[in-house]
Amino acid sequence: MSYVDRVLNQLRERHGEQKEFMQAVEEVLESLRVVIDENEEEYSRLALLERLCIPERSVLFRVPWIDDKGQVQVNYGYRVQFNSAIGPYKGGLRFHPSVNLGIIKFLGFEQIFKNSLTGLPIGGGKGGSNFDPKGKSDREVMAFCQSFMTELWKHIGADTDVPAGDIGVGAREIGYLFGQYKRLSGVYEGVLTGKGLEFGGSLARKEATGYGLLYLTEEMLKCNGIDIEGKTVVVSGSGNVAIYAIEKALQLGAKPVTCSDSAGWIYDPEGIDLDLLKEIKEEKRARLTEYAAARPGAQYHEGRGVWQIPCDIALPCATQNELFPEDAEMLAANGCIAVAEGANMPTTREATKYLQEKGVLFCPGKASNAGGVATSALEMSQNSERISWSFEDVDNKLREIMINIFHNIDEASKKYGLEGDYVAGANIAGFLKVANAMKSQGVV
Ligand code: NDP
């Protein structure tokens, strides 16, 4: 049995119930076969894959807090410090009722390769809680964040582990978390990214994941002889990533026509009204029904369904496993030419395979959504130097990083005879840097 199969079997036996984690590991290790098989004896002797797939450390804790009625609530807290071979652990915190250890491990594992692809010195980690900020008062969110940080602060630091936002964790939550870290540690340092601009945040961090997604998509299309201008774009989600993907798509002359949240979705044939969407989602924290109410030409549908709208480009930007084989079939049948993931692992493995077989250009999230963490690393640099760069400086660096990522994954796919398979290219390019660093650092 090959080394890859042996490790996959061991992991399935031990972690079979962690569905999302196993899905991510299987996708990565399967596409690394070409590299691993070449170095089978060495990697196996060094137990490199076992060390890559087992986090360096997982911190699990309870988070007690008091709600507005005086009732004590208890949530689960997680921080998985997966791999520090190329830099301090870096990866967001997710607050969503679905969060469990398997989801945090899948996100942390993906983060190792994504962070490596940015070319910046950051290792992989992820954390979060099953706390749901939706419908909570500001005071309740603050109480939760303070309790969460009261445990987490012992394990993080500007040179050890630097969390950021993710689903359910935006500027408000990062502010409360930062305040509590500073209070407990007595140190003012860049321990979190995605901070407010008044206290060490970076310009363009809020926009970075969505903008970066479009920079990479534009480059991928360009290298395949296609201009993004005038293309119809279907987007899922209406959070941080989706909003700024829509904004950059509009700036590049494309036409985004959909967005969604967990209750329903919008089809606006005239093109999404960005100001209205921002007002509803960023200011009012309201539902998309309000969008349709304010825009007579737009349709609101309950449930999921954006992938049935004919488009040239599809950008899944909500959450994991939101684009299934039947969606992939509709996209391909309707003439979609490119899918680039803004979310982490939004496309199932079967749907990814189908799209690739149909010749749809497909870029995996660990490459196409890496602009967020890359800009977080730029925020860390600015914090260390105690300076702030202009919006243009950060945006230019982001664009350069995304273009480099695309060319790195493209070259890796060609080098291993898998031209156009950007999933394999991303996994291989991300892996090699981390694997070489791990080898150099001995058995740790
Ligand atoms: P937000 O919380 O800002 O927005 C998430 C959006 O997705 C909301 O519209 C939300 O709807 C929807 N959504 C979340 N969970 C579900 C679900 N289970 N079913 C249907 N819809 C859902 O998160 P972000 O925009 O920050 O993150 C989106 C994705 O991008 C995630 O996969 C995240 O890991 C990834 N990502 C984020 C980065 C960042 O910088 N923020 C960086 C790299 C990746 P509702 O409001 O109704 O819940």
Side-chain angles (χ1 to χ4, degrees), residues 26-44:
E26 280 167 8
E27 183 233 277
V28 170
L29 295 199
E30 287 296 347
S31 67
L32 286 178
R33 273 184 200 277
V34 279
V35 183
I36 310 285
D37 290 353
E38 261 182 7
N39 304 281
E40 169 127 353
E41 189 280 324
E42 185 192 19
Y43 285 164
S44 167

Side-chain angles (χ1 to χ4, degrees), residues 178 181-189:
F178 182 78
Y181 177 87
K182 180 166 62 71
R183 183 189 201 187
L184 290 166
S185 67
V187 180
Y188 201 111
E189 60 177 356

Side-chain angles (χ1 to χ4, degrees), residues 92 94-98 106-107 111 114 126 132 134 164-170 205-210 236-243 259-264 281 285-288 303-304 316-322 341-346 365 368-373 376:
R94 175 176 292 190
F95 292 170
H96 192 271
S98 63
F106 122 63
L107 291 162
Q111 199 82 43
K114 180 190 309 196
K126 197 84 188 187
D132 188 358
K134 240 184 268 149
D166 190 77
I167 292 179
V169 179
R205 172 60 187 91
K206 183 175 67 173
E207 295 82 357
T209 309
S236 66
S238 53
N240 175 259
V241 179
I243 287 175
C259 60
S260 66
D261 62 20
S262 50
K281 285 296 174 184
R285 295 176 189 272
R287 311 310 294 168
L288 285 174
R304 47 187 302 282
C317 296
T319 191
Q320 67 274 359
N321 293 332
E322 50 153 329
E341 296 183 323
N344 285 310
M345 207 169 74
S368 46
N369 71 31
V373 74
S376 275

Side-chain angles (χ1 to χ4, degrees), residues 71-365:
Q71 172 67 47
V72 175
Q73 302 283 348
V74 187
N75 287 100
Y76 292 82
Y78 306 86
R79 184 71 185 166
V80 173
Q81 300 179 326
F82 226 117
N83 191 300
S84 62
I86 62 169
Y89 311 105
K90 182 91 196 85
L93 298 172
R94 175 176 292 190
F95 292 170
H96 192 271
S98 63
V99 163
N100 57 38
L101 184 59
I103 288 185
I104 297 299
K105 279 178 67 186
F106 122 63
L107 291 162
F109 184 71
E110 289 278 298
Q111 199 82 43
I112 302 170
F113 307 97
K114 180 190 309 196
N115 293 3
S116 166
L117 285 173
T118 65
L120 300 168
I122 37 179
K126 197 84 188 187
S129 172
N130 66 337
F131 172 75
D132 188 358
K134 240 184 268 149
K136 304 286 191 302
S137 69
D138 281 351
R139 194 212 60 83
E140 288 176 322
V141 171
M142 181 174 75
F144 173 82
C145 288
Q146 290 181 338
S147 181
F148 185 85
M149 187 51 87
T150 300
E151 179 57 36
L152 187 68
W153 82 280
K154 303 164 199 162
H155 311 285
I156 62 176
D159 292 316
T160 46
D161 183 355
V162 184
D166 190 77
I167 292 179
V169 179
R172 174 182 59 172
E173 289 75 16
I174 293 289
Y176 293 145
L177 291 164
F178 182 78
Q180 185 71 354
Y181 177 87
K182 180 166 62 71
R183 183 189 201 187
L184 290 166
S185 67
V187 180
Y188 201 111
E189 60 177 356
V191 68
L192 292 155
T193 57
K195 298 184 291 297
L197 295 177
E198 306 81 5
F199 55 97
S202 173
L203 286 162
R205 172 60 187 91
K206 183 175 67 173
E207 295 82 357
T209 309
Y211 278 24
L213 172 65
L214 267 294
Y215 292 143
L216 187 139
T217 304
E218 185 188 26
E219 189 67 11
M220 174 170 78
L221 291 172
K222 197 168 109 194
C223 292
N224 285 278
I226 305 162
D227 189 351
I228 195 168
E229 202 180 333
K231 298 288 179 292
T232 300
V233 185
V234 158
V235 177
S236 66
S238 53
N240 175 259
V241 179
I243 287 175
Y244 292 94
I246 289 171
E247 180 163 294
K248 185 51 76 179
L250 289 165
Q251 288 173 10
L252 295 176
K255 187 175 165 194
V257 292
T258 65
C259 60
S260 66
D261 62 20
S262 50
W265 56 284
I266 290 287
Y267 174 44
D268 190 342
E270 295 302 310
I272 293 291
D273 179 337
L274 184 65
D275 290 340
L276 179 61
L277 182 64
K278 281 187 179 175
E279 185 192 319
I280 291 167
K281 285 296 174 184
E282 292 190 329
E283 286 165 35
K284 296 190 189 162
R285 295 176 189 272
R287 311 310 294 168
L288 285 174
T289 39
E290 292 204 14
Y291 182 98
R295 218 149 125 105
Q299 303 164 15
Y300 176 79
H301 302 270
E302 279 182 6
R304 47 187 302 282
V306 294
W307 314 123
Q308 67 192 265
I309 301 298
C311 67
D312 303 302
I313 300 165
L315 304 174
C317 296
T319 191
Q320 67 274 359
N321 293 332
E322 50 153 329
L323 200 163
F324 298 96
E326 56 273 25
D327 304 316
E329 280 170 30
M330 278 190 285
L331 286 169
N334 286 333
C336 175
I337 47 183
V339 175
E341 296 183 323
N344 285 310
M345 207 169 74
T347 318
T348 67
R349 283 186 68 203
E350 297 72 24
T352 304
K353 232 172 131 226
Y354 182 86
L355 290 165
Q356 288 180 318
E357 279 165 12
K358 289 284 167 188
V360 177
L361 301 172
F362 183 90
C363 191

